[in-house]
Amino acid sequence: MSLLEVKSLQKIYTTRFGGNQVQALSNVSFSVENGEYLAIMGESGSGKTTLLNILASLDKPTGGEVFLDGNNIVKIKDSEISAFRRDNLGFVFQDFNLLDTFSIQDNIFLPLVLSQKPYEEMNKRLKPLSKKLGIDEILAKYPYEISGGQKQRTAVARALITNPKLILADEPTGALDSKAAMNLLKIFSEINEAGQTILMVTHSIAAASHAKRVLFIKDGEIYNQIYRGSMNNDEMYQKISMTLTVLATGGVKGE
Amino acid sequence: MNKIFYPKLALTNLKKNADTYVPYILTCIGSIIAFYTMISFYGNKGLDEMPGSINLKTILFLGTIVIGIFSTIFLFYTNSFLIKRRKKELGLYSILGMEKKHIARVLFYETVVVTIVSLTLGLLGGILIGKLLYLLLLKLLHFTTPIQFYIDGRGLLITAGIFLAIFFLTLLTNFLQVKMANPINLLKGGEQGEKEPKSSWIVTLFGIISLGIGYGIALTVKSPIEAILLFFVAVIFVIIGTYALFTSGSIALLKVLKKNKSFYYQSRNFISVSGMIYRMKQNAVGLANICILSTMVLVTISTTVSLYVGQENMMRDQYHFDMLFVGENTGNDEALVDESIQKTAEQTGVNPIDQINLRLGNLTAFLEGDHFMPDLVAKEDKDTNYYTTKTDVWLIPLEDYNKMSDTATALNENEVMIFSVGDNYNQKTMTFGDRSFSVKENLQTFPLNNKKTELVGKTCYIIVKDEGVIADIQNNLYPDNTSKSLLFGKFFNLEGNDETKLAFSENVFQQVEGINPDIDKASYYVSLTEWYSIFGGFLFLGVFLGTLFMMATVLIIYFKQISEGYEDRDRFEIMQKVGMDKAEVKKTIGKQILMVFFLPLAGATIHVAFAFRVMAKMLAAFRLTDTGLILICTIVVTLIYALIYALVYWWTAKAYYKLVK
Ligand SMILES: Nc1ncnc2c1ncn2[C@@H]1O[C@H](COP(=O)(O)OP(=O)(O)O)[C@@H](O)[C@H]1O
Ligand SMILES: [Mg+2]
């Protein structure tokens, strides 16, 4: 059984006063195996964030189903959804989403504190993780005192510390300079090697070329996919660019 | 660029920032109304005609100055808040290619709009509301003569001048802000929040000590005079302590909580403690302001209401009789006074009743043990110490005492009876120079006065065998004093309606003044109208300033809610993304906001509780000694204030929740 199974997902936004309807996702199906590193690519407005929000159970689809480890997350009760999210998913967002009221350490601890883990346990998890992500020196600082790259690594630490089944990342390199972006992608590759399943949404070719598989989304539908196979990052980059060119020059849905 | 561009942009800006600028303009209008009202009352000729008008005018003058200073500080405070919130917007202009002088021009036009709107509405409002308040003032003063209300041209000019100056200065500070900042700073300005206070243990300790000293002074004050002198010292200590504790103490305390790992890393405490640290850092100064302002409102209104409510009773304590005359019986003065009383009584239909006529000897002395020492202090050396330590001695022949109290006591040459106001005279003997007496009886009641403590100095009535003894005592104490004739005293109450009683009193006063200006006279009703003008003036000013401070408080709360709202909006979202459910987030944040805003009220209530003793002592200086009454007034005022505060909180919280939703 796949870790994540998405079946004919559909999302229609209705503006508040009826009126306009926007079809953000029309029919999306795919699955993610344990240990996979999947990138979903698409132009701005193609529905990537919408898809991720649904997978994150932050939003409900208009139609279709999402199974995580066999559980239909669309059907989870509202009262259990937060706990479910905390225990099974980790998030990395474009704009970091760190709380300025907390130190770096406390930002990372936040999901564990919410799950009422004892302090010793939290600390035990934090030590190796912060070392690996290169933020062990800045744990006592506050978000406004550190760089963007450090913020994003903090966010990754916060996502990883719960040992989630799946990491969801929405444009994680979007607000970083190229050096910090490369650093982050390296970290993603490493944690994936260590067995962590990652689903990343991005419009950056450089970011996507690190993934093991890339899905292309256009007008709310899966358009194409590329497997890395034995390609290295550069070859992957070439392949993705080509696919995107085809996509942009309006090639009909490619079969 | 065309000329109309900047004014137009200025207008658009004001509209866009309406949720902060409308309250700001309302503050300006309120301040102008308050200032004009005060200054026009001060300049009002009609008020000169009422009894005690000099006192009232002094009160109004002080009020004008207080309002002027307060408005200036407060408008600067709000302005700096507004400009900080808008730095981002201004930074954007400069990034879009506007030069600093263009930005300055926009700011200039904005200030022009604010000034025109505020001054027009403020002065118009001042004229209208001033009229209403004038009627209220007259009512509080118990002043019934209709006085033409007029528009005070000079007051309008002064008000306009002062506020133009204030607006001009705020504009200058805004220019300075723009000039000093680079675009990046401007862009970040809104996020920097208020200056972060450092939490150091030294400051915290300093705050505790300061507050302790302030409270200590308040709790140990002995006399009314001391209360008045030390009150301001205590106020300053308490203010310093409040600021230190709000800024440093609160954070130090929270940090202690944070250090305790097993407490801090509980999901509920985790969010609240760190949230509170952050909020206190941002808001400590503002909250301390609210706390101090609230305390001022409570103290001012409580004391003035107490004075006003208690004035008739306190006058009664002081005036045992409705009227009294005491004078030297030179010529035919006593008979003339009697005649004038009788004549006026027939004219006005007021009857003098409970009349007591007696002969008295009067002297001042210093009591040391059982020795009455002569008062040799020169006129220019008579300071507060003199007035608090001297004793007023009234010597009364036994015959007159027996007559007025309907007794048949007997005394020999060397015996006296004494009635001492306040504490009992606790010696068995008393000595005037070479002459000693044994005290036969310590009287507990006396027809001429009550036992309540005198506030300044002491008074006692000594009954001796006869006039000869009185003369002997006076000779012993003051051998050089030539006039030793006895005084006549007349004490009586009045029967009739209150207004004719006042007319009677004033009428007789005038005649007695004509007979001999040296005759001492006192009338409960005349004094009461005089005191009405003072206490009415105080109450008016108290409520007026109280309302003003309250308005300021409301505004600070409102602005704080808005800035909290902007910041919490993002926090709200993040917490949900990280795995807190919506209801939970709302609950914890709601609780923090509640705590932040009710902390100042709690602080103010504690301050008032400690200030109570000083307040009571100070009021005692105005001869209001009814502590129960003061307590009730203070509690009622505090409760009403808390209620208003809660309503304001509830109303501003709606603005907050609208933002975070
Ligand atoms: N809350 C919303 N309400 C209405 N329309 C929305 C909402 N969020 C996104 N959309 C629309 O759905 C489409 C997909 O948006 P999004 O998923 O954010 O795209 P992406 O992340 O790929 O740039 C866009 O056309 C966008 O305008
Ligand atoms: Mg997006």
Side-chain angles (χ1 to χ4, degrees), chain A residues 82 85-86 97 102 106 119, chain B residues 261 264-265 274 576 579 581:
Chain A
S82 295
R85 205 183 295 147
R86 245 173 7 227
N97 281 341
F102 286 120
D106 287 348
Y119 175 70
Chain B
K261 298 254 186 298
Y264 178 55
Y265 288 108
S274 62
Q576 284 174 49
D581 66 68

Side-chain angles (χ1 to χ4, degrees), chain A residues 147-164:
Chain A
S147 74
Q150 290 171 323
K151 280 187 201 169
Q152 197 59 301
R153 277 177 275 145
T154 304
V156 173
R158 180 180 62 188
L160 285 175
I161 201 160
T162 55
N163 300 324

Side-chain angles (χ1 to χ4, degrees), chain A residues 82 85-86 91 93 97-102 105-106 109-111 113-114 116 119 122 142 144 158, chain B residues 196 258 261 264-267 270-271 274-275 278 281 571 574-582:
Chain A
S82 295
R85 205 183 295 147
R86 245 173 7 227
F91 300 92
F93 303 92
N97 281 341
L98 300 181
L99 286 166
D100 44 11
T101 52
F102 286 120
Q105 166 169 323
D106 287 348
F109 279 165
L110 185 59
V113 175
L114 292 176
Q116 318 203 324
Y119 175 70
M122 298 194 289
Y142 280 82
Y144 49 83
R158 180 180 62 188
Chain B
E196 271 190 22
K258 194 172 163 179
K261 298 254 186 298
Y264 178 55
Y265 288 108
Q266 301 274 313
S267 67
F270 189 59
I271 310 269
S274 62
Y278 193 79
K281 272 187 178 173
R571 252 171 255 154
I574 299 175
M575 286 194 194
Q576 284 174 49
K577 283 181 181 169
V578 180
M580 255 185 117
D581 66 68
K582 204 170 174 160

Side-chain angles (χ1 to χ4, degrees), chain A residues 11-16 20-25 41-53 59 170-171 201-203 217 220:
Chain A
K11 175 74 184 178
I12 299 170
Y13 287 112
T14 317
T15 44
R16 197 187 294 229
N20 286 7
Q21 293 200 331
V22 179
Q23 176 121 28
L25 300 174
M41 285 201 78
E43 288 170 12
S44 175
S46 55
K48 304 183 297 287
T49 300
T50 307
L51 172 63
L52 207 76
N53 282 345
D59 203 354
D170 187 0
E171 310 267 12
V201 147
T202 181
H203 70 268
I217 185 169

